[in-house]
Amino acid sequence: MLILEIGEMMNRRKFLGLSGTTALVSAVGLPVLAHAKAQSKASDETEVVLQIQWLGGATMLISFDGVTFLTDPAFGVGEQAIVMPNPNEMFDLAKGPNLKPQPRFGVLPAFDLGTVTATLISHSHPDHFDAAAEAQIASDMPMIATNRDKQELASKGFSNISVLPWGEQMVFPTKSGQITITAVEAKHSENPEILKVLGPGNGYFMEFEAGDYRKTLYWTGDTFPVNDVMASVQAFGEIDVLIPHAGGVGSTGALGKISMDAEDVVKMVDRLKPKSILPIHHSTFGLFLEPIWKLVQAMDGHASDLDLIAEGSHILYK
């Protein structure tokens, strides 16, 4: 274990509070993404290595060989960091939940938005794309999302959104190699009726290649380790880094659990057998119910490394 300091019941738009064939989609075919150059501000180090900085919640910077991806940006701070429907309370499913401010318990770590090549969106619920991020991110920032979330983001004024359906790929050239991203279905609930309300989401399987270096990463998005999702991920082969969304959101509410808890993450680990696990989507906001120590306890004795990093810290996968 490595520990580093450093007939829908309601309308989805109302609930969110918002006004397979496999194909290779090269970045060459994407007008703006095609010209998303490897960042000149990248490290001067000659060693090519995958680096991840966790910024809290589901927000990360994933950097490799001059390309940086921002994930699910939530930048709000303070007691009212995110104002969103509260999934952790009981409510009338026909009417929907009440809006409730969700606090961020710490500060938003410092980072340079100017180094970001593109933003990956698992889904656009307010804790995954909040009002602060909406205000700070340029409207022409390249983004990758589901078709449904493209419509939500376009309504907010974002103009450079590429849809990546489940099973399809996109390739980003790097300084000396490439990053291949494949969209994977993310099931936000194990209850089919609740899943209709919450809408579709993406997970992403990523391959980082440059010279002799190769790493694979599976970022789950808000999903559960259900058979069809796990089977599609297993088809990719060995996983070096698993990044699961934890937190046990919704376990006290009318929707039921809508993000994994420790038991679910362990089921996923047992099925996928990744080399390393980097849990995110925990601890940052009041929204998250299950403390991360429960996952530490549940992973005791497992062969996979559990990498716990503080918000703002970086981890390298060599």
Side-chain angles (χ1 to χ4, degrees):
M1 180 185 298
L2 172 63
I3 300 179
L4 305 181
E5 289 184 352
I6 309 259
E8 295 190 3
M9 292 175 287
M10 60 184 135
N11 180 272
R12 177 178 183 261
R13 183 178 294 272
K14 179 178 179 181
F15 172 74
L16 295 181
L18 299 172
S19 314
T21 56
T22 300
L24 178 63
V25 183
S26 169
V28 174
L30 300 170
V32 176
L33 293 181
H35 300 94
K37 302 296 186 181
Q39 299 296 325
S40 60
K41 295 182 181 180
S43 169
D44 292 330
E45 294 178 1
T46 57
E47 183 181 19
V48 175
V49 63
L50 171 61
Q51 175 177 285
I52 298 171
Q53 182 183 19
W54 182 41
L55 300 178
T59 310
M60 300 176 285
L61 294 176
I62 301 175
S63 301
F64 178 74
D65 196 26
V67 170
T68 295
F69 297 108
L70 172 68
T71 70
D72 283 3
F75 299 162
V77 295
E79 289 298 312
Q80 299 193 37
I82 301 170
V83 179
M84 61 179 288
N86 183 17
N88 294 325
E89 68 176 4
M90 299 302 296
F91 56 86
D92 183 344
L93 289 172
K95 297 179 180 179
N98 297 317
L99 290 175
K100 181 181 179 180
Q102 299 289 342
R104 181 189 288 265
F105 296 123
V107 299
L108 176 67
F111 69 100
D112 184 357
L113 194 56
T115 66
V116 174
T117 306
T119 297
L120 301 181
I121 306 295
S122 69
H123 62 299
S124 59
H125 291 180
D127 57 320
H128 293 259
F129 199 111
D130 69 356
E134 180 184 343
Q136 294 178 45
I137 294 175
S139 61
D140 62 350
M141 163 72 78
M143 295 182 180
I144 300 170
T146 68
N147 185 60
R148 195 166 186 175
D149 287 318
K150 177 180 180 176
Q151 297 173 39
E152 299 283 3
L153 294 167
S155 72
K156 296 175 180 294
F158 294 98
S159 59
N160 190 12
I161 308 160
S162 297
V163 172
L164 195 59
W166 302 328
E168 294 193 6
Q169 296 179 320
M170 186 175 293
V171 177
F172 283 77
T174 67
K175 287 180 178 179
S176 55
Q178 66 180 35
I179 303 169
T180 303
I181 303 176
T182 307
V184 178
E185 182 179 9
K187 289 192 173 180
H188 209 329
S189 172
E190 295 181 282
N191 181 322
E193 294 304 313
I194 299 299
L195 188 59
K196 291 177 185 178
V197 174
L198 297 174
N202 275 357
Y204 295 96
F205 188 87
M206 307 176 71
E207 300 169 83
F208 303 86
E209 300 173 279
D212 294 332
Y213 183 96
R214 183 178 185 273
K215 291 289 182 186
T216 59
L217 179 156
Y218 170 40
W219 169 38
T220 68
D222 279 1
T223 196
F224 287 87
V226 294
N227 283 333
D228 54 347
V229 174
M230 292 298 92
S232 66
V233 175
Q234 284 179 301
F236 293 114
E238 187 176 72
I239 298 171
D240 291 307
V241 185
L242 170 66
I243 304 182
H245 285 193
V249 177
S251 57
T252 59
L255 298 176
K257 191 167 52 177
I258 58 173
S259 76
M260 289 189 287
D261 59 16
E263 181 181 355
D264 297 308
V265 173
V266 169
K267 287 179 182 177
M268 182 175 284
V269 170
D270 288 342
R271 181 80 178 262
L272 300 180
K273 297 178 172 53
K275 293 180 181 178
S276 297
I277 303 126
L278 176 62
I280 62 171
H281 199 266
H282 65 82
S283 307
T284 305
F285 300 111
L287 179 71
F288 304 134
L289 297 182
E290 184 178 82
I292 194 60
W293 65 260
K294 289 197 173 182
L295 179 57
V296 175
Q297 188 177 67
M299 283 296 300
D300 187 37
H302 279 69
S304 302
D305 291 330
L306 182 61
D307 299 333
L308 299 181
I309 62 175
E311 295 164 7
S313 296
H314 301 75
I315 185 166
L316 306 179
Y317 290 99
K318 298 186 177 182

